[in-house]
Amino acid sequence: MAQVRQTKTEQRIREALVSLLAERGFDSITVSDLTRRAGIHRGTFYAHYVDKYDLLERQINAVYRNLADILEGDAEKPGNSAGEMGAGSRDFIPYGRVLGALSYIRENYPLIAALTANGTDQRLYERAKQLLGGLVERGAALAGTKLDFGGVPETYGREMMLAGVTSVIWLWIKNGCPEEPRVIANIIWKNKSRSLEECVLS
């Protein structure tokens, strides 16, 4: 019973944070603002969080863990499952997992928009990029292959590869996630291997 009360209290605090972030910037929010909005005492807040920075960081961490669970899936199966777009054992950013992550983002858009300042805060962006990088590298290792960036130094090649995918997702968040997750997953899938020259019509 105590655990249920704790979960409900944390949910109220999270909802207060989300609503206040939607109204104003994080810097202008106080613990008093959060407790008033959540309808709790300051002592109750401090029983759960050290301060507002701890609250924000823990919400970001929770979203990151959920995305990691979705994207990493079965670590022994780097490719797509049958029936997904472009299924193949060498697809290290699997379509089905990307679609799952996009669906999670859209279902939790108010929280993610608040935590990312509508896609402008880079903390989750950088962590999502690292997550995708780990997924690709793990898939390559499991397949017994190495990443090849066509002569581009690995640091830069890796950044170009991962930033392209992550930037599409973040633009979608900035725009309010208007398209269905499958539309964005298809855009990522179709364009993740296209070069700049291929994007220019002759």
Side-chain angles (χ1 to χ4, degrees), residues 120-136:
T120 60
D121 189 308
Q122 296 297 295
R123 282 174 291 185
L124 259 176
Y125 174 90
E126 291 298 331
R127 292 179 72 179
K129 194 165 61 175
Q130 292 170 7
L131 185 60
L132 287 169
L135 186 68
V136 171

Side-chain angles (χ1 to χ4, degrees), residues 40-76:
I40 60 172
H41 297 292
R42 287 175 65 90
T44 303
F45 177 90
Y46 287 118
H48 292 83
Y49 305 101
V50 175
D51 51 28
K52 69 174 189 175
Y53 300 98
D54 179 44
L55 167 62
L56 181 66
E57 189 62 28
R58 284 165 67 176
Q59 302 313 309
I60 290 173
N61 288 342
V63 168
Y64 174 80
R65 284 193 303 271
N66 289 333
L67 287 171
D69 288 344
I70 294 167
L71 284 170
E72 290 175 347
D74 186 344
E76 298 305 314

Side-chain angles (χ1 to χ4, degrees), residues 6-123:
Q6 180 176 350
T7 301
K8 287 184 176 179
T9 299
E10 290 174 349
Q11 181 179 346
R12 288 166 67 181
I13 295 170
R14 181 170 58 250
E15 289 171 352
L17 175 66
V18 169
S19 64
L20 286 166
L21 285 172
E23 295 170 11
R24 59 182 110 151
F26 178 73
D27 291 341
S28 67
I29 296 172
T30 66
V31 170
S32 294
D33 294 330
L34 289 161
T35 56
R36 277 196 299 271
R37 185 65 59 93
I40 60 172
H41 297 292
R42 287 175 65 90
T44 303
F45 177 90
Y46 287 118
H48 292 83
Y49 305 101
V50 175
D51 51 28
K52 69 174 189 175
Y53 300 98
D54 179 44
L55 167 62
L56 181 66
E57 189 62 28
R58 284 165 67 176
Q59 302 313 309
I60 290 173
N61 288 342
V63 168
Y64 174 80
R65 284 193 303 271
N66 289 333
L67 287 171
D69 288 344
I70 294 167
L71 284 170
E72 290 175 347
D74 186 344
E76 298 305 314
K77 296 179 181 178
N80 297 337
S81 61
E84 293 170 350
M85 176 178 284
S89 61
R90 293 174 62 88
D91 297 329
F92 301 137
I93 302 181
Y95 177 84
R97 294 182 201 164
V98 170
L99 177 58
L102 293 170
S103 297
Y104 169 80
I105 290 170
R106 198 168 196 235
E107 289 164 9
N108 295 277
Y109 176 73
L111 172 62
I112 291 171
L115 295 179
T116 64
N118 292 317
T120 60
D121 189 308
Q122 296 297 295
R123 282 174 291 185

